[in-house]
């Protein structure tokens, strides 16, 4: 019940395409859902985050869609660029448990 | 740049040895969490420190221990190193106890041989 399932494991898109990464959870107590971007040899960097009281959030080219009833959320990257090639992790946290549960990651490659 | 700094960046240890990893949190952040990230995996929560006390722990054995100092910096200590401890160790800082938004450092790469 504490897992966050992420798919796909890897993704290749052409420059300008819109990669979509999906995550699903079971624990309805989760109330904060961030996405992190990680380049090889670097720590994860926060991209964007959402709470269950909104269905969509946009920051620049990154959009989170959230479906509370389906217990799913997804990351969309508009007008993807080769510089977006990285590993993306979704995560979830529960009030008072002090920890993030991370998905297994999606390795994105954007072709020039 | 998140303002979270970790040291050392890389180190190699022998099985059975002990290691100490260090973290300076972002200015003003009073909560530090440690995560282990094995190659090709997502980060796994080890524990969190708030006001120099351990404030939550993941599924890691007691040979993983930590400290938080009055200036909010932190250490992760691992005793009796095993080969499976080889991973990227990430420190993350946050302001609130719940840590809604946590900011990661670049990590310390530990190789156990």
């Amino acid at each position: 019940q504490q897992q966050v399932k992420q798919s796909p494991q890897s993704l290749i898109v052409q420059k300008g395409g819109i990669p979509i990464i999906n995550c699903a959870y079971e624990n309805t107590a989760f109330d904060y859902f961030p996405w992190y971007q990680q380049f090889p040899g670097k720590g994860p960097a926060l991209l964007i985050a959402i709470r269950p009281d909104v269905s969509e959030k946009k920051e620049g080219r990154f959009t989170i869609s959230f479906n509370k009833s389906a217990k799913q959320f997804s990351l969309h990257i508009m007008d993807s660029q080769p510089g977006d090639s990285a590993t993306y992790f979704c995560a979830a946290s529960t009030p008072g448990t002090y920890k993030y549960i991370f998905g297994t990651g999606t390795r994105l490659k954007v072709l020039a | 740049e998140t303002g979270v700094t970790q040291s050392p960046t890389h180190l190699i240890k022998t099985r059975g040895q002990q290691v100490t990893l260090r973290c300076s949190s972002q200015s003003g952040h009073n909560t530090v969490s440690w995560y282990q990230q094995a190659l090709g995996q997502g980060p796994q929560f080890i524990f969190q420190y708030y006001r120099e006390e351990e404030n939550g722990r993941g599924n890691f054995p007691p040979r993983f221990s930590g400290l938080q100092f009055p200036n909010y910096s932190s250490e992760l200590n691992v005793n009796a190193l095993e080969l499976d401890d080889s991973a990227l160790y990430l420190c993350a800082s946050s302001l609130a106890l719940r840590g809604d938004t946590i900011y990661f450092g670049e990590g310390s790469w530990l190789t156990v041989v």
Side-chain angles (χ1 to χ4, degrees):
Chain A
Q1 193 178 21
Q2 285 293 316
Q3 282 187 323
V4 176
K5 296 182 179 179
Q6 183 172 347
S7 63
Q9 189 174 20
S10 62
L11 191 53
I12 300 174
V13 299
Q14 295 288 335
K15 178 182 174 182
I18 306 176
I20 301 173
I21 305 170
N22 301 297
C23 285
Y25 64 97
E26 290 294 325
N27 188 349
T28 55
F30 287 146
D31 77 336
Y32 183 69
F33 302 89
W35 284 90
Y36 283 83
Q37 178 190 58
Q38 187 175 30
F39 292 104
K42 300 292 187 181
L46 178 67
L47 267 180
I48 185 172
I50 198 168
R51 293 196 181 274
D53 54 345
V54 297
S55 60
E56 186 176 275
K57 183 175 181 179
K58 293 182 181 180
E59 285 187 6
R61 295 185 294 109
F62 301 96
T63 299
I64 299 180
S65 297
F66 191 88
N67 186 328
K68 188 174 180 178
S69 60
K71 291 183 283 187
Q72 295 176 348
F73 59 110
S74 59
L75 176 70
H76 303 231
I77 305 175
M78 307 302 177
D79 187 28
S80 59
Q81 301 296 313
D84 296 329
S85 297
T87 301
Y88 293 81
F89 292 95
C90 62
S93 71
T94 307
T97 60
Y98 325 117
K99 66 181 181 180
Y100 281 22
I101 307 297
F102 280 86
T104 50
T106 296
R107 184 174 292 185
L108 171 67
K109 185 173 181 64
V110 181
L111 302 176
Chain B
E1 292 293 328
T2 63
V4 179
T5 58
Q6 295 186 240
S7 63
T9 54
H10 294 83
L11 70 167
I12 301 173
K13 289 286 188 177
T14 303
R15 188 172 50 182
Q17 284 188 316
Q18 179 265 346
V19 67
T20 297
L21 307 177
R22 296 177 175 83
C23 172
S24 293
S25 59
Q26 187 177 119
S27 177
H29 282 185
N30 57 13
T31 304
V32 173
S33 304
W34 286 92
Y35 287 76
Q36 180 196 65
Q37 185 178 21
L39 202 60
Q41 301 295 317
Q44 300 286 321
F45 176 77
I46 303 175
F47 43 55
Q48 183 183 80
Y49 278 83
Y50 173 68
R51 291 185 176 176
E52 303 176 54
E53 298 276 339
E54 186 179 294
N55 195 45
R57 188 177 185 94
N59 190 26
F60 281 81
R63 60 189 184 83
F64 285 78
S65 63
L67 285 172
Q68 186 181 31
F69 301 100
N71 66 355
Y72 305 135
S73 65
S74 177
E75 287 182 356
L76 165 66
N77 299 290
V78 187
N79 294 321
L81 284 167
E82 300 177 359
L83 298 180
D84 285 348
D85 295 333
S86 296
L88 177 66
Y89 288 87
L90 295 162
C91 171
S93 76
S94 57
L95 179 58
L97 177 63
R98 193 170 82 175
D100 274 356
T101 300
I102 64 174
Y103 299 92
F104 286 96
E106 300 289 15
S108 294
W109 283 98
L110 171 65
T111 301
V112 182
V113 297

